[in-house]
């Protein structure tokens, strides 16, 4: 159904066609018949356009057929209300750029500007090469030797100066320092775990110490397991004694194995001592064994690879 605005628009269209002359009808005869005008009206916004009598409106439009009378023209009807403004059409494509205008005439030359400030001074130039050395001047003649002056009288002896302060004490000299080495003279065989320590034959020395001395002691030697079967073992203790007092003790386990039956000891230490004579020695003891028949041999004579040695150095502090 049409609303009032659509009806007014249709009436306005009819009036516009009614005002046309017979010549105008002849001009538009392609879409206006002798008795009716065909118009498609948009259902959405009321826009309309005339169509041929054989055209079909779109699905979003309504076809309106307006009869056109052949008699006298009736009185002009009232002007209908202005229809709603249609939607703005899409912006058209941008036209091509116009031709480039001619280049303008060159303007007059501007006045000369004021002179700029003086620029900063440039960097110093590189130093010039050193000039060649001048020629050596001629050697002057030797002057005459002056006569020897007469010897003046002997002066009076000067007064004796004051005695200077005593200088610092110098470092200790080597006086009183000495070294003593004692080798084992024979082997000692240990066959009892209940016996006490036994000194290794030959491995003892008596050494004198000064008032400001210290002993440096070192010793090494070999312990032999006299077992016969792999797994036999002995446990031997080695002590270093100073004046029959132990200052160092080490424990060595020697077990029989493939080509293994001996062990070596090696120890070293410093011992402070008082001034006078002191006796230093090495003693050993059997503490344990795998069976009651096993024995151990310590040290040896001069011809033995097992020979033990004791070194005593007397040093000044």
């Amino acid at each position: 159904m049409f609303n009032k605005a659509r009806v007014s628009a249709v009436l306005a269209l009819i009036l516009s066609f009614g005002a046309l002359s017979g010549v105008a009808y002849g001009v538009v005869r392609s879409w206006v018949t002798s008795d009716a005008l065909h118009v498609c009206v948009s259902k959405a916004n009321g826009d309309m356009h005339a169509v041929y009598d054989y055209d079909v409106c779109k699905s979003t439009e309504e076809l309106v057929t307006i009869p056109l009378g052949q008699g006298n023209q009736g009185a002009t009807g009232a002007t209908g209300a202005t229809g709603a403004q249609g939607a703005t059409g899409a912006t058209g494509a941008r036209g091509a750029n116009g031709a480039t205008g001619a280049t303008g005439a060159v303007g007059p030359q501007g006045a000369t500007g004021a002179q700029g400030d003086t620029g900063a001074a440039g960097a110093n130039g590189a130093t010039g090469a050193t000039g060649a050395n001048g020629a050596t001047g001629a050697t002057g003649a030797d002057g005459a030797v002056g006569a020897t002056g007469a010897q003046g009288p002997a002066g009076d002896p000067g007064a004796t100066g004051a005695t200077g302060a005593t200088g610092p004490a110098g470092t200790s000299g080597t006086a009183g320092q000495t070294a003593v080495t004692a080798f084992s003279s024979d082997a000692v065989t240990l066959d009892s775990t209940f016996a006490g320590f036994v000194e290794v034959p030959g491995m003892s020395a008596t050494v004198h110490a000064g008032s400001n001395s210290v002993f440096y002691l070192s010793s090494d030697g070999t312990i032999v397991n006299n077992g016969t079967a792999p797994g036999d073992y002995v446990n031997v203790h080695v002590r270093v004694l100073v004046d029959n007092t132990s200052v160092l003790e080490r424990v060595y386990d020697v077990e029989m194995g493939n080509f293994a039956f001996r062990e070596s000891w090696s120890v070293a230490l410093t011992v402070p001592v008082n001034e006078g004579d002191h006796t230093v020695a090495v003693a050993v003891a059997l503490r344990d064994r795998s069976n009651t028949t096993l024995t151990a041999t310590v040290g040896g004579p001069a011809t033995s690879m097992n020979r033990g040695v004791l070194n005593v150095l007397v040093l000044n502090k």
Side-chain angles (χ1 to χ4, degrees), residues 258-275:
N258 293 328
F259 311 105
F261 60 92
R262 71 177 112 197
E263 177 73 46
S264 296
W265 80 84
S266 179
V267 296
L269 74 158
T270 57
V271 179
V273 291
N274 296 325
E275 183 179 7

Side-chain angles (χ1 to χ4, degrees), residues 105-137:
V106 178
Q109 182 173 347
T112 302
Q115 181 174 346
D117 297 334
T118 302
N124 294 332
T127 303
T130 303
N133 294 331
T136 304

Side-chain angles (χ1 to χ4, degrees), residues 149-171:
Q151 182 174 350
D156 296 330
T160 302
T163 303
T166 303
T171 57

Side-chain angles (χ1 to χ4, degrees), residues 166-265:
T166 303
T171 57
S172 300
T174 58
Q177 296 189 145
T178 187
V180 177
T181 297
F183 293 96
S184 64
S185 58
D186 202 352
V188 57
T189 299
L190 305 175
D191 58 4
S192 175
T193 56
F194 300 101
F197 279 85
V198 179
E199 288 189 9
V200 179
M203 293 187 68
S204 64
T206 299
V207 184
H208 180 79
S211 60
N212 192 34
S213 300
V214 62
F215 282 175
Y216 175 81
L217 310 177
S218 65
S219 175
D220 63 77
T222 302
I223 302 168
V224 177
N225 182 340
N226 296 318
T228 58
D232 289 346
Y233 79 90
V234 293
N235 178 279
V236 176
H237 288 205
V238 178
R239 280 182 177 175
V240 178
L241 307 171
V242 176
D243 298 332
N244 292 320
T245 299
S246 175
V247 293
L248 181 69
E249 182 172 351
R250 292 288 184 268
V251 180
Y252 297 90
D253 291 317
V254 185
E255 183 176 351
M256 292 290 293
N258 293 328
F259 311 105
F261 60 92
R262 71 177 112 197
E263 177 73 46
S264 296
W265 80 84

Side-chain angles (χ1 to χ4, degrees), residues 1-7 10 41-44 46 62-64:
M1 297 299 292
F2 296 116
N3 56 29
K4 292 182 178 180
R6 291 181 181 177
V7 173
V10 172
V41 182
S42 173
K43 297 177 182 180
E62 292 183 11
L63 176 62
V64 177

